[in-house]
Amino acid sequence: MKVPNHIAIILDGNGRWAKRRGMPRSYGHIVGCNNLEKMCDEICEMGVKYLTVYAFSTENWKRSADEVKVLMNLFRKYLRRVEMKAHKNRMKVRIIGDPSALAPDLQEEIREVEEASADYDQMYFQIALNYGGRDEIERAVTRIAEDASNGKLPEGRVTGEIFERYLDTAGIPDPDLLIRTSGEQRISNFLLWQLAYTEFYFTDVAWPDFHKQDLIEAIEKYNGRDRRFGNAK
Ligand code: IPE
Ligand code: IPE
Ligand code: MG
């Protein structure tokens, strides 16, 4: 099976998955987090070069304080485990989004995992944490304006190529396949610029239940598509 170069996943449905089992939403997040660890290994083994996952959006702060706390504690533990996985899979980990709103120890954890994995290139794993596509664009434009006024940018048009250098995903090719689990068919502020020509795959399967076989199904569907980039075929 030919695998896409870059897969992006909106990990959705943890809460509903838990509710259906009469459990608190936090249980869904724990199982979803374990599933991410397993799936990341599977995806690496399949030979996918780039994986980007949406773990916490800039809008997710609107959830109850309890749920936000549970999620932040999970990220703390998860980032430590990801560091071990990074060594095992020789993968470079990057957190995209705005870390400045996160607790200082979490920011430290992020710096650590990024530094520890900086030299790997077997796979590139991006985790979107406090990420919003609009927020990313606002931050990019702000830095472009600063650099322009300091004379660090050539005068004239800010081309797409220049603009991309200011995005959190700088240097990473755009996703080929976007998967969203659990039935919703929207992008919820994920990678607004980068998804311009990405193929979308939506499934009703909730994230904690999304396993290797579901991923293979998504990839097979993707492989059967007639990809276009505005050209005629
Ligand atoms: C995805 O599951 C995880 C995060 C957004 C952090 P949800 O928490 O959105 O679960 P549902 O969509 O409410 O079921
Ligand atoms: C998108 O899921 C964000 C993440 C998966 C991290 P949400 O569950 O927060 O999105 P909406 O609210 O259904 O659009
Ligand atoms: Mg959701």
Side-chain angles (χ1 to χ4, degrees):
M1 188 178 62
K2 194 176 166 295
V3 297
N5 189 44
H6 185 171
I7 298 181
I9 311 179
I10 300 177
L11 314 167
D12 198 20
N14 292 348
R16 281 166 284 169
W17 180 89
K19 281 282 157 215
R20 279 200 296 275
R21 282 161 179 75
M23 299 293 280
R25 292 176 59 83
S26 55
Y27 177 65
H29 293 315
I30 293 167
V31 179
C33 197
N34 291 339
N35 192 43
L36 176 59
E37 266 194 52
K38 232 174 54 212
M39 287 303 286
C40 180
D41 282 354
E42 301 276 16
I43 290 169
C44 182
E45 259 172 50
M46 286 166 97
V48 173
K49 198 80 195 167
Y50 301 91
L51 171 66
T52 303
V53 299
Y54 205 5
F56 192 86
S57 74
T58 46
E59 287 72 33
N60 286 149
W61 297 106
K62 295 180 202 153
R63 296 189 177 194
S64 74
D66 275 357
E67 184 167 349
V68 170
K69 200 168 150 196
V70 163
L71 285 166
M72 293 300 149
N73 282 332
L74 261 180
F75 296 143
R76 264 185 196 99
K77 280 194 213 135
Y78 177 71
L79 285 173
R80 261 173 254 142
R81 297 182 61 87
V82 156
E83 193 174 327
M84 298 188 323
K85 294 277 181 186
H87 294 303
K88 175 173 163 255
N89 295 336
R90 307 189 65 74
M91 64 184 188
K92 181 170 175 149
V93 181
R94 180 197 267 180
I95 282 60
I96 59 170
D98 181 4
S100 67
L102 302 173
D105 69 303
L106 205 45
Q107 294 185 37
E108 184 52 39
E109 213 58 75
I110 289 172
R111 263 193 299 277
E112 226 178 275
V113 68
E114 287 185 338
E115 211 179 286
S117 67
D119 294 332
Y120 293 135
D121 63 358
Q122 177 72 26
M123 185 189 177
Y124 294 80
F125 182 33
Q126 302 188 105
I127 307 167
L129 245 185
N130 190 27
Y131 175 89
R134 288 181 173 176
D135 181 69
E136 178 188 37
I137 290 169
E138 276 175 27
R139 286 184 287 107
V141 170
T142 304
R143 285 173 48 225
I144 286 170
E146 274 166 20
D147 282 358
S149 66
N150 294 334
K152 287 190 196 152
L153 266 178
E155 272 178 40
R157 189 180 174 111
V158 177
T159 60
E161 198 202 319
I162 294 174
F163 180 70
E164 285 180 349
R165 282 189 233 142
Y166 288 82
L167 292 175
D168 298 345
T169 53
I172 303 290
D174 291 341
D176 299 287
L177 170 64
L178 170 80
I179 298 171
R180 181 168 187 153
T181 57
S182 207
E184 307 307 331
Q185 302 197 356
R186 54 177 170 262
I187 56 174
S188 301
N189 204 11
F190 195 36
L191 303 174
L192 295 183
W193 170 275
Q194 298 87 339
L195 295 176
Y197 270 98
T198 303
E199 296 287 334
F200 287 10
Y201 178 85
F202 299 105
T203 173
D204 287 336
V205 177
W207 174 250
D209 280 337
F210 190 89
H211 304 308
K212 188 175 180 184
Q213 198 45 45
D214 302 285
L215 179 69
I216 290 173
E217 239 170 76
I219 294 175
E220 278 171 351
K221 276 266 164 54
Y222 164 84
N223 280 337
R225 288 188 191 171
D226 173 19
R227 273 203 95 181
R228 294 189 186 196
F229 298 87
N231 54 323
K233 266 191 195 155

